[in-house]
Every structure is written in structure tokens, then in C-alpha cells.
Amino acid sequence: MRKIIPDLDKIDTKTFLDSFIKILEVKKQAGLTPILDNPDNLFDRAKMYGTRYKNGSWNWASNIWSRSAANTVVIDRDDQLQYEHKLLMMRVLEHILAQGPFIKVDGYVGKPGTKAQMHAAIYVDPQFPDLAYRWSQLVFPAPPDEEPDVRVFVVPHYLGNPNIPGKDKMLMVMRFPNANFTIITVSSYQGEVKKAVLTHWIYHVYKRGGTGEHASLREFTVKMVDGEWKRIVLAVWGLTGTGKSTHGLYVFTKENAKVYIKEFGVNPLDYVKDQVIKNDDIIAIFEDTVIGSERGAWTKTEDLTPEQVAMWNGAMSPRALHENTEFDEKGYPSFKGELFQYFGRPNKNSRSVLYLEDTGYFDGDIQSSGPLTTAVFLSPGYFTDYAWVKIEDIALAAKVLADGRTIGHPAQAKEVVGKVRYVARYALPFTMGVTSTEHVVRFYNYLKKRKEEGNPIEVYLFNTTGRIIAQYRWVEKKLGDKVIMAPEPVLVEVNGIPKPIGGERPTIEETELFLLQAVRGAVKYKPHPVWGEKVLVPKEVPGISQNRLKQLDPTSYLSMEEFKRLLKAQIEESKYWLDKNCPKLPKEIYNAMDFED
């Protein structure tokens, strides 16, 4: 047998792919099975490693319960390959050669037949058939004999992994945007596979004239204050744990309408009809349309309750495919986070693959019925945020997107839980091939064009899982070579999870009521105390009392001097992260939040 894996110094993206093909050929010539090509018994294989719950659904456990963003590198060119990169590439080839036939699954991401369509082929170690099966249920079937646009190699084993060059983090995931493949090792977390494909898809969408965004998509028709009915195409941006799925998959029903009638004296069903869920996670925004990425949803189900009707329907379906999801005393799926644990702490990252059809609010089409009308950015914070504001200035709206300000959640990484973070476009780990800046500028140009045409996209900023003035202290914070005074929340551990002390925050129902009243034109606003007419603050929301609006207003608790000091610190820190994560932004975006005392 000839040597088919290149020497370490000869490994690059081309020789890696060539060697992979040669491995398959050598096995085939020897009369062995090189690949299990889209096997029809994949679910049966996966069942061997899963637990069947009493409602008929299945659950699998992963060895890591969060994404491995800190263990991921992006290699744009072969001349960036260092010894450690080549070593892991070689180890993956060695494992594929020695291991039994890998499972191959082909799928289309993006609605087939549209400009967003991308063919992905994943090759999964045969010991992890559940990863292959669950991914197959998220995407559209693609012909196995068609040349894929991208390949993802999934080897959830420790392979003597080196550290990332120059860092103390293990090298686990390697993305090659321009060679069109990704390598995943060590982690058997389903999100690693899903996000690998979607990261390539975001780049794919950009090359086809759109922008791929970490947002959910839903549609509904509302009765405007003038009595006319208007179709709303709504995208909700946010990182894990901020409420993207909660609000992106939210629907009003006869059952939850009773809550609104009791709590707010408003029946939402008087104002909304034809509610449709389109997509949960990553979408493609073009000037004329919005296209979802997947036919299913892989969503966080932590603390899910029946009041979140669409998600509950899908997650409690006997067809749901769970991950790290515990069971109750009767053997049914449970989303309470009481039984399972991770590193000694209660599980806060249960996940489920659910079929959009099972939500009861899917019309079979993941493409919008028209262009985007409404954008909601979920940027939870602790210090300066109102519950909800409307952003009138498109440059400031683009800066909010560029900032991607959020609060760390256990699904992101253990070390960031509870901390304020800046994750450009809420999609920094999933952006490659072109910079986040190029995506932001393209979206900014969409906003500008729509405004010039007299049909602006309405933009809102919500503080969902944050707090309206949590307890904080001023500390010295190092930003590169500079030290600033910045606020830091006071966190305490509750069931092993860092939580802020004090502060108000809106309920899910309050936020959805505001959104409904806002898009139908029923909310009355006042200028933001610092940004003026650039940002509008609600002063009247039908159904929400003036006292409650005051509780959700940070200036109710702070002097204007302190409010401005907090805001200046936020702007200074945000610019530090923009320089790193979103460099060379146009000045009108970069400086959009600046103000004079």
C-alpha cells in the first residue's frame, strides 16, 4: 500500500482534500466500504446511543454542552497554516483512514431553488450517528451525487490536539472559508455541526448579494391604528439566551390571549392574524426578500413553558430530537433544569431539534412573503438600557448591529456567563470570508435605501434578559493599552449560575405587547434624554401603565449625570471592541452614539 497521507510539511487545504478522496478510493479498491452514503437506517443507528422518553421523543447527551468558539480558528489562506494546524489536519486524516466508514449526509441549506441555496455534505465519525441524523432533519435533502458547495468533517474525538498557536486553548475546530470546508474535533455538541454549516452559509449568502444574519424570522398581519391591515416581516437578532427563539417563535393564541386580557386589558387577537413562523436561527436578508436557512429548528429549551405555544408544541412532539434535555418523574421531557448537571452546576443548555410543522404555525415556506419590514435587536444590558426603544437614526441602528452587545449565557461558554460582551452582529464566531464590517455596511445600505424610498425598515432595541439598573460598581478596566473606569455588575451565584442583583426587566408578555402595539402604530414616544430624536422612548403603550413604564426607565433610578457617565463608558468600551471585531467602519456608524454633555 502506498502512502496516501502527505508528510506534515506538505499538508495544505488542497492536499488535505486530495488525501481524503484517496483514502476513500483505496478502501473501495480493497473491497471495503469507504462511506455510508446517506444511509436510510441512520435513525436506527442513532437510537443505539439515545434515550427514548415516554412521549416517543429521543434524547442524546453530548460531551461538551456549549459551542467551542474559543477553540476555533479560521484559516483564509494556506500561508497561514502553522505546525499545530497541519498536525491536527494530519491527525484527522489518520483517523479517517483507520476508522470504519464515515457517515455522509447531504443537505441543502437555504430554500432550494433560491439564490440562498447551498449544498453541504457532512462526514461524521460512525460512532456519532445521532449528529448526522439530527442535522439531516434540519436541512433539505440534496442529491448525494451532486458536488457539494462545502464539506464538514466531524470527528468528536480527542486526537492529541495541540493548542492554538500562541494561546493556551486547545485547537478543536478549523474553518477554511475559501477552501470550503471545516474540521470539527473533540466536541459532540450538535451546535458545533449546525453552526459550522451555517457559518459557511453566511459567507455564501454574502457572495450572492445578501447578508447572513444571526436572527429568527416570523410574519403576521396587524390591524393598524387607521383600521388597515399590514403584513409584518419581522427579524429578531440575538445571541443564545437573549430570547431570540422566544420572540422569534412567539405566537398569540386564544389561550395566552386570556393573560393579556387579564393583565393588560388588551386582546391581541383583535389586532393580529395569519401568524407564521419562518425560521429560528440564521437568515439571509436580501433587498427584496428574507430567506430562512433550515426546514427545522435547533433551539434552546431551557425554562420552556406551555405559554410559549409554538416552541412548546414542537419541543413536546414525539418527533422532537433532544440534546442534554432531562426527564421528569414520569419519563417525559423536562425543561426545568433541575436534574441534569454540567461541571457540577444545573443544566442551563438543553436543546431540541424540532420540526417547524409541529409548532402549528408553519406554512411550509421558509422564505418571507415580502421584504423585511421590522428589525429587533436583543441587546441585554445592566446599566443604560430601557426595556424597549425605537431607533430612528439608521447609522445608530447599524452601530447597534455592529456592537452586538449582549450578556454571556452558559450556552456560549462557562467563563463569560453573566458578563457584558461585544459580539459583532451577534454573529462574530460565525462570520468568515469577509469581515463583519462588510456585512454591517451592506445592511446599513439596505436601511438607507429603504428610508430614501419612503418605506423605512422599523428598528427596535430590546433589553430582554438584562436588567434596568442592576447593582453595579465602578472598576478599572483595561482596554488594550488604555485603562478606563467602567461599571461592572455585582453578580452572585444562584444554583451555580452568576446572576445580577436587583433591577427591573420586562416580562415576555410585556415585550410582545409592546412589539404588537409598536408595529401597528399605537405607541407614543418621547426623545431619548441623551440621543434625542435619534432614539425614541415609549411614553404611552396601550395596556401598559405609566407606573410600569417608569419602572422600566433607567432614568427613574439615576441622575442624568450618572446616566451620561454610564453611557460614555459603554460607548468607549464598544469602540474598543469595534476596532477589534468590526474594523474600519464608516465614521457615521462608528461615532453614531457619541454625544456632548
Side-chain angles (χ1 to χ4, degrees):
M1 286 285 187
R2 66 188 187 280
K3 180 180 175 65
I4 58 176
I5 296 176
D7 293 334
L8 195 66
D9 62 343
K10 302 294 184 185
I11 288 183
D12 58 23
T13 54
K14 183 179 184 304
T15 58
F16 177 89
L17 291 173
D18 287 347
S19 182
F20 171 71
I21 298 300
K22 287 178 183 176
I23 289 171
L24 304 188
E25 291 173 349
V26 166
K27 288 186 175 182
K28 188 174 182 180
Q29 290 169 4
L32 306 177
T33 301
I35 286 288
L36 299 174
D37 198 348
N38 294 269
D40 55 13
N41 66 343
L42 194 49
F43 193 15
D44 288 333
R45 290 172 175 268
K47 288 175 181 177
M48 295 175 64
Y49 300 91
T51 300
R52 189 179 190 186
Y53 291 158
K54 284 293 184 66
N55 70 339
S57 62
W58 286 80
N59 179 71
W60 292 267
S62 61
N63 59 353
I64 292 173
W65 290 20
S66 65
R67 285 182 287 101
S68 304
N71 305 90
T72 299
V73 298
V74 175
I75 305 293
D76 293 301
R77 306 179 312 275
D78 281 335
D79 61 13
Q80 295 174 331
L81 288 169
Q82 299 186 42
Y83 167 82
E84 292 86 351
H85 305 134
K86 294 183 178 186
L87 178 63
L88 186 58
M89 294 168 77
M90 183 180 73
R91 288 292 298 119
V92 169
L93 290 172
E94 290 172 344
H95 183 79
I96 293 172
L97 175 59
Q99 178 61 284
F102 267 53
I103 298 167
K104 173 175 173 274
V105 175
D106 292 86
Y108 285 134
V109 184
K111 182 180 177 180
T114 69
K115 50 193 168 186
Q117 174 189 301
M118 184 189 81
H119 182 163
I122 67 169
Y123 299 85
V124 183
D125 185 289
Q127 295 182 49
F128 299 88
D130 61 295
L131 293 178
Y133 180 71
R134 283 183 284 158
W135 184 79
S136 75
Q137 300 307 294
L138 288 172
V139 296
F140 298 91
D145 57 351
E146 180 180 271
E147 182 69 14
D149 296 302
V150 301
R151 293 178 172 88
V152 176
F153 300 92
V154 186
V155 186
H157 295 285
Y158 171 67
L159 301 174
N161 294 52
N163 283 351
I164 296 173
K167 298 185 178 181
D168 62 356
K169 296 286 187 181
M170 181 190 294
L171 174 60
M172 291 166 50
V173 180
M174 300 179 66
R175 307 199 197 286
F176 301 89
N178 298 309
N180 302 313
F181 72 93
T182 284
I183 293 169
I184 299 168
T185 66
V186 180
S187 175
S188 66
Y189 187 55
Q190 174 74 21
E192 216 67 78
V193 181
K194 171 186 162 71
K195 292 298 187 185
V197 174
L198 291 176
T199 298
H200 283 280
W201 188 68
I202 288 171
Y203 185 30
H204 175 89
V205 166
Y206 185 87
K207 290 186 288 186
R208 279 151 181 77
T211 177
E213 298 296 326
H214 191 199
S216 57
L217 178 65
R218 83 190 225 218
E219 290 190 21
F220 50 93
T221 301
V222 294
K223 188 176 185 179
M224 305 297 288
V225 291
D226 62 5
E228 295 294 317
W229 290 90
K230 178 182 177 181
R231 192 65 175 167
I232 302 298
V233 178
L234 168 70
V236 181
W237 279 255
L239 276 177
T240 293
T242 59
K244 177 170 59 65
S245 296
T246 297
H247 295 288
L249 299 180
Y250 196 90
V251 292
F252 296 104
T253 68
K254 290 181 179 179
E255 198 59 36
N256 66 25
K258 297 174 184 176
V259 176
Y260 289 85
I261 294 169
K262 179 181 178 182
E263 296 293 327
F264 311 111
V266 175
N267 185 349
L269 297 180
D270 290 341
Y271 305 110
V272 65
K273 63 181 181 179
D274 301 329
Q275 302 173 86
V276 178
I277 288 167
K278 293 288 186 179
N279 203 89
D280 170 55
D281 196 24
I282 305 284
I283 58 176
I285 299 178
F286 296 91
E287 286 189 13
D288 59 340
T289 190
V290 186
I291 303 173
S293 54
E294 298 170 313
R295 67 185 178 104
W298 183 76
T299 186
K300 182 178 67 64
T301 46
E302 169 201 338
D303 298 330
L304 180 62
T305 65
E307 287 72 30
Q308 295 162 259
V309 179
M311 284 179 64
W312 181 266
N313 289 347
M316 288 303 292
S317 165
R319 298 201 300 166
L321 305 169
H322 304 290
E323 179 172 1
N324 306 328
T325 299
E326 56 198 47
F327 51 89
D328 64 18
E329 63 278 1
K330 296 181 180 179
Y332 287 82
S334 172
F335 311 113
K336 294 181 179 179
E338 296 175 336
L339 180 63
F340 288 2
Q341 63 181 56
Y342 185 61
F343 283 92
R345 294 176 174 178
N347 174 26
K348 289 298 178 184
N349 196 22
S350 59
R351 294 277 180 164
S352 299
V353 169
L354 52 91
Y355 296 86
L356 293 179
E357 295 91 340
D358 291 346
T359 66
Y361 292 87
F362 180 57
D363 63 1
D365 192 352
I366 62 170
Q367 184 171 3
S368 68
S369 61
L372 185 70
T373 68
T374 312
V376 172
F377 299 128
L378 304 182
S379 279
Y382 295 128
F383 316 120
T384 63
D385 295 272
Y386 291 78
W388 327 284
V389 296
K390 184 179 183 182
I391 302 176
E392 292 285 87
D393 181 78
I394 59 172
L396 196 147
K399 184 179 184 299
V400 169
L401 177 61
D403 279 340
R405 182 170 55 91
T406 191
I407 292 171
H409 182 273
Q412 296 166 28
K414 289 185 300 177
E415 59 269 18
V416 303
V417 177
K419 297 179 181 178
V420 176
R421 305 179 63 211
Y422 289 84
V423 186
R425 296 175 48 247
Y426 312 96
L428 183 64
F430 321 127
T431 303
M432 64 181 188
V434 296
T435 65
S436 289
T437 303
E438 291 169 279
H439 284 277
V440 170
V441 169
R442 180 168 286 180
F443 187 71
Y444 174 61
N445 289 332
Y446 290 168
L447 294 176
K448 185 185 295 185
K449 184 176 180 181
R450 287 283 294 276
K451 187 173 183 179
E452 291 169 351
E453 292 172 346
N455 182 27
I457 298 171
E458 291 189 346
V459 181
Y460 298 92
L461 177 64
F462 289 178
N463 184 14
T464 43
T465 56
R467 295 289 187 275
I468 287 84
I469 310 302
Q471 286 188 28
Y472 63 92
R473 57 178 179 263
W474 288 93
V475 300
E476 288 188 349
K477 179 174 285 189
K478 188 173 183 181
L479 302 177
D481 296 330
K482 188 177 182 180
V483 176
I484 70 168
M485 293 301 294
E488 181 180 88
V490 178
L491 301 176
V492 296
E493 285 205 0
V494 179
N495 293 326
I497 302 296
K499 298 281 187 181
I501 300 173
E504 285 286 336
R505 69 172 175 175
T507 66
I508 292 170
E509 290 78 17
E510 287 173 328
T511 294
E512 282 297 324
L513 179 60
F514 168 80
L515 179 60
L516 176 62
Q517 300 288 27
V519 296
R520 58 183 296 268
V523 174
K524 293 182 180 179
Y525 297 95
K526 60 185 178 182
H528 188 278
V530 172
W531 289 318
E533 298 291 341
K534 287 184 175 183
V535 176
L536 301 180
V537 176
K539 67 176 182 180
E540 290 183 26
V541 181
I544 299 178
S545 70
Q546 286 297 308
N547 183 59
R548 184 59 177 155
L549 287 178
K550 186 177 181 180
Q551 291 174 348
L552 298 174
D553 181 337
T555 64
S556 298
Y557 310 94
L558 301 171
S559 68
M560 191 50 57
E561 180 183 10
E562 181 72 353
F563 184 69
K564 287 181 177 180
R565 186 186 181 203
L566 288 164
L567 204 51
K568 280 185 177 290
Q570 174 185 315
I571 294 168
E572 188 166 10
E573 185 170 3
S574 81
K575 287 185 175 182
Y576 168 78
W577 288 107
L578 286 179
D579 291 337
K580 294 172 69 70
N581 299 335
C582 224
K584 299 181 180 179
L585 272 176
K587 290 298 180 184
E588 67 267 27
I589 299 175
Y590 187 78
N591 297 320
M593 292 182 181
D594 291 3
F595 64 92
E596 298 294 333
D597 287 333

